[in-house]
Amino acid sequence: MTRLVDVHPTPLMTTVRRGVLALGTMAALGLGLSGCGGGDQVKTFTPSKIVSFGDEASVLASEVVGSGQINGLKHTVNAVLIERGVISQFVPALPTGATFLDTQWTATYGAWYPTAPEVGSPAVVADTGNSVVRRLFTMDVTYTPSGGGSTVTNASSTVGFDYAYLCTQNRLWIQLLANSYGLGYKSQCGLDSDGAVTYAAAGATVADVATQVTTHYSELNDSTLVTMLAGQNDILAAYDSADTTPVAEAALKLKGQQLGAIVNEIIKTGARVLVVTVPDLSYSPYARADGDAGRARMRALVAAFNDGLIGSGGVKNDGHFIGRVKGYEQVRYMTDDASTYGLSNVVDPVCDP
């Protein structure tokens, strides 16, 4: 087997929206939540459960494939473990005692996939934590007959490949956070630990997040850590609108305050909330494509939303129930000083839309 990264436009998900930015190690920030009263720390808060709300940056999605279902898919790069050439799927079958030359896959796979004709539809063949999809292709197969001798090639054979989607690889920021507490999103990612769940949805706006929280409000209590990252879809809609930047900024500041009010309502349950400010989307390929003017507009809109979220009229800053991750600043740091963070390309989109 070899581990490859699936960035091809297969029937499974890649990225959905234009402004999505990888959050990477941001989950390592803001973890010092504590129960405290005016100044000194009294007790470190350790959650027994994590509940996530928001948009596609916090989604672990499912997708039906044939008669089965793939779980734990992300709206970014999904890690895949690929077994090249499932012997039982060779049509015609190899002769008894023949030796399949596995090295041919290493030499040809990169150039061959995904140009080979696919036979039939993908199907889920196993789900033991991974979600394994078998896909059938037509290609030439080379083998050594029983007893040795010259190699033989079966032209246009049907060959099976197994793709195991590893939902605990290339983890989302919420997974990194949950794993740091020994928890995970097992019901949505079979390889993960248990104790966390995400109700985030792709394309969700602040209004959608309000519905998410209302629907699951009764699940929150004083042993729950809630993660909240939302706003980019409201910002993208404003960016695409014909509204002048000042008008759009005013509307987005109000949206940020509305998200702050949702957070303030959550803490009435006793739950702690980790709020992430919206990353600076002016660094996204979508904004970059519009040049300096587009980037300036996007930066102003993101700043307006975040000002509403964490400024006056936004989340309560009581130092007890709410922690903040500086997503806006951190993405700027990581992009402006990419080499320090081990990044080699902070300009090009990771997936072709």
Side-chain angles (χ1 to χ4, degrees):
M1 290 189 176
T2 185
R3 181 166 296 157
L4 303 178
V5 175
D6 182 14
V7 295
H8 300 291
T10 71
L12 302 180
M13 299 159 54
T14 50
T15 183
V16 167
R17 290 307 303 266
R18 305 146 297 172
V20 175
L21 291 174
L23 296 177
T25 57
M26 281 172 47
L29 305 173
L31 298 186
L33 295 175
S34 60
C36 53
D40 295 336
Q41 177 172 305
V42 175
K43 181 181 179 182
T44 298
F45 173 68
T46 302
S48 63
K49 177 175 63 176
I50 294 178
V51 178
S52 299
F53 299 111
D55 56 30
E56 50 266 50
S58 304
V59 168
L60 288 168
S62 299
E63 185 168 331
V64 174
V65 178
S67 59
Q69 179 171 288
I70 300 296
N71 298 317
L73 294 172
K74 311 172 184 75
H75 289 269
T76 178
V77 175
N78 288 283
V80 185
L81 187 68
I82 302 176
E83 183 177 358
R84 302 169 302 228
V86 180
I87 303 291
S88 62
Q89 290 294 319
F90 284 170
V91 181
L94 301 186
T96 301
T99 302
F100 168 61
L101 302 183
D102 183 66
T103 55
Q104 68 184 294
W105 307 121
T106 304
T108 65
Y109 185 86
W112 165 78
Y113 179 79
T115 59
E118 186 166 2
V119 180
S121 300
V124 175
V125 296
D127 190 4
T128 55
N130 294 323
S131 290
V132 180
V133 178
R134 179 162 295 169
R135 307 180 64 144
L136 303 180
F137 298 92
T138 300
M139 66 176 297
D140 297 343
V141 173
T142 302
Y143 64 91
T144 301
S146 175
S150 300
T151 60
V152 178
T153 297
N154 284 348
S156 301
S157 293
T158 298
V159 181
F161 282 72
D162 281 354
Y163 296 72
Y165 284 78
L166 305 180
C167 56
T168 51
Q169 301 281 331
N170 294 342
R171 291 173 291 172
L172 293 178
W173 72 279
I174 57 172
Q175 291 178 286
L176 291 167
L177 172 64
N179 294 167
S180 73
Y181 287 112
L183 305 174
Y185 295 81
K186 188 174 182 64
S187 65
Q188 295 156 301
C189 166
L191 294 173
D192 215 345
S193 302
D194 206 354
V197 62
T198 177
Y199 297 116
T205 62
V206 170
D208 297 321
V209 172
T211 301
Q212 293 172 15
V213 173
T214 298
T215 303
H216 300 284
Y217 193 78
S218 62
E219 300 173 27
L220 312 179
N221 55 48
D222 59 6
S223 66
T224 306
L225 174 60
V226 171
T227 71
M228 180 67 74
L229 172 54
Q232 76 160 348
N233 291 305
D234 299 271
I235 293 166
L236 289 169
Y239 181 81
D240 290 338
S241 73
D243 293 341
T244 64
T245 298
V247 169
E249 285 182 272
L252 283 172
K253 183 174 182 178
L254 179 59
K255 291 283 187 183
Q257 290 173 335
Q258 291 170 352
L259 185 60
I262 295 170
V263 172
N264 294 339
E265 189 66 24
I266 289 174
I267 66 175
K268 293 179 181 179
T269 67
R272 272 64 166 181
V273 186
L274 189 65
V275 180
V276 184
T277 55
V278 177
D280 188 347
L281 300 179
S282 71
Y283 286 95
S284 67
Y286 188 65
R288 288 180 185 274
D290 291 335
D292 291 343
R295 294 191 67 190
R297 174 174 167 82
M298 184 72 85
R299 183 175 291 117
L301 297 180
V302 176
F305 181 91
N306 285 335
D307 181 47
L309 174 63
I310 62 175
S312 177
V315 295
K316 294 180 179 179
N317 185 19
D318 65 354
H320 185 72
F321 286 98
I322 300 172
R324 174 161 62 98
V325 175
K326 297 181 179 180
Y328 180 84
E329 294 86 350
Q330 187 64 24
V331 164
R332 299 187 73 176
Y333 300 153
M334 295 172 71
T335 307
D336 291 342
D337 192 14
S339 61
T340 298
Y341 292 90
L343 304 174
S344 59
N345 187 337
V346 294
V347 176
D348 297 323
V350 68
C351 298
D352 182 349

mmCIF file of all heavy atoms in Angstrom, residues 126-132 190-191:
data_model
loop_
_atom_site.group_PDB
_atom_site.id
_atom_site.type_symbol
_atom_site.label_atom_id
_atom_site.label_comp_id
_atom_site.label_asym_id
_atom_site.label_seq_id
_atom_site.Cartn_x
_atom_site.Cartn_y
_atom_site.Cartn_z
ATOM 1 N N ALA A 126 -16.087 -1.893 2.504
ATOM 2 C CA ALA A 126 -15.781 -2.179 3.903
ATOM 3 C C ALA A 126 -15.899 -0.884 4.691
ATOM 4 O O ALA A 126 -15.718 0.197 4.154
ATOM 5 C CB ALA A 126 -14.368 -2.750 4.052
ATOM 6 N N ASP A 127 -16.226 -1.018 5.962
ATOM 7 C CA ASP A 127 -16.242 0.158 6.827
ATOM 8 C C ASP A 127 -15.870 -0.288 8.229
ATOM 9 O O ASP A 127 -16.731 -0.568 9.046
ATOM 10 C CB ASP A 127 -17.602 0.852 6.802
ATOM 11 C CG ASP A 127 -17.540 2.214 7.504
ATOM 12 O OD1 ASP A 127 -16.450 2.618 7.926
ATOM 13 O OD2 ASP A 127 -18.592 2.849 7.628
ATOM 14 N N THR A 128 -14.605 -0.359 8.476
ATOM 15 C CA THR A 128 -14.096 -0.758 9.793
ATOM 16 C C THR A 128 -13.317 0.410 10.382
ATOM 17 O O THR A 128 -12.151 0.302 10.720
ATOM 18 C CB THR A 128 -13.182 -1.984 9.672
ATOM 19 O OG1 THR A 128 -12.140 -1.683 8.734
ATOM 20 C CG2 THR A 128 -13.957 -3.193 9.193
ATOM 21 N N GLY A 129 -13.994 1.536 10.480
ATOM 22 C CA GLY A 129 -13.314 2.752 10.907
ATOM 23 C C GLY A 129 -12.951 3.596 9.709
ATOM 24 O O GLY A 129 -13.246 4.778 9.647
ATOM 25 N N ASN A 130 -12.263 2.988 8.738
ATOM 26 C CA ASN A 130 -12.079 3.653 7.448
ATOM 27 C C ASN A 130 -13.383 3.567 6.672
ATOM 28 O O ASN A 130 -14.250 2.756 6.969
ATOM 29 C CB ASN A 130 -11.016 2.939 6.596
ATOM 30 C CG ASN A 130 -9.644 3.030 7.206
ATOM 31 O OD1 ASN A 130 -9.271 4.040 7.777
ATOM 32 N ND2 ASN A 130 -8.890 1.965 7.078
ATOM 33 N N SER A 131 -13.519 4.371 5.658
ATOM 34 C CA SER A 131 -14.572 4.185 4.677
ATOM 35 C C SER A 131 -13.862 3.816 3.388
ATOM 36 O O SER A 131 -13.207 4.645 2.765
ATOM 37 C CB SER A 131 -15.391 5.465 4.506
ATOM 38 O OG SER A 131 -16.164 5.710 5.662
ATOM 39 N N VAL A 132 -13.943 2.533 3.016
ATOM 40 C CA VAL A 132 -13.177 2.012 1.889
ATOM 41 C C VAL A 132 -14.066 1.913 0.653
ATOM 42 O O VAL A 132 -15.111 1.264 0.676
ATOM 43 C CB VAL A 132 -12.588 0.626 2.221
ATOM 44 C CG1 VAL A 132 -11.784 0.091 1.041
ATOM 45 C CG2 VAL A 132 -11.718 0.717 3.465
ATOM 46 N N GLY A 190 -15.058 7.175 11.954
ATOM 47 C CA GLY A 190 -14.928 5.918 12.674
ATOM 48 C C GLY A 190 -13.566 5.635 13.258
ATOM 49 O O GLY A 190 -13.437 4.826 14.172
ATOM 50 N N LEU A 191 -12.514 6.296 12.754
ATOM 51 C CA LEU A 191 -11.168 6.075 13.271
ATOM 52 C C LEU A 191 -10.874 6.905 14.515
ATOM 53 O O LEU A 191 -9.849 6.712 15.161
ATOM 54 C CB LEU A 191 -10.131 6.417 12.194
ATOM 55 C CG LEU A 191 -10.105 5.522 10.960
ATOM 56 C CD1 LEU A 191 -9.147 6.098 9.919
ATOM 57 C CD2 LEU A 191 -9.712 4.110 11.319
#
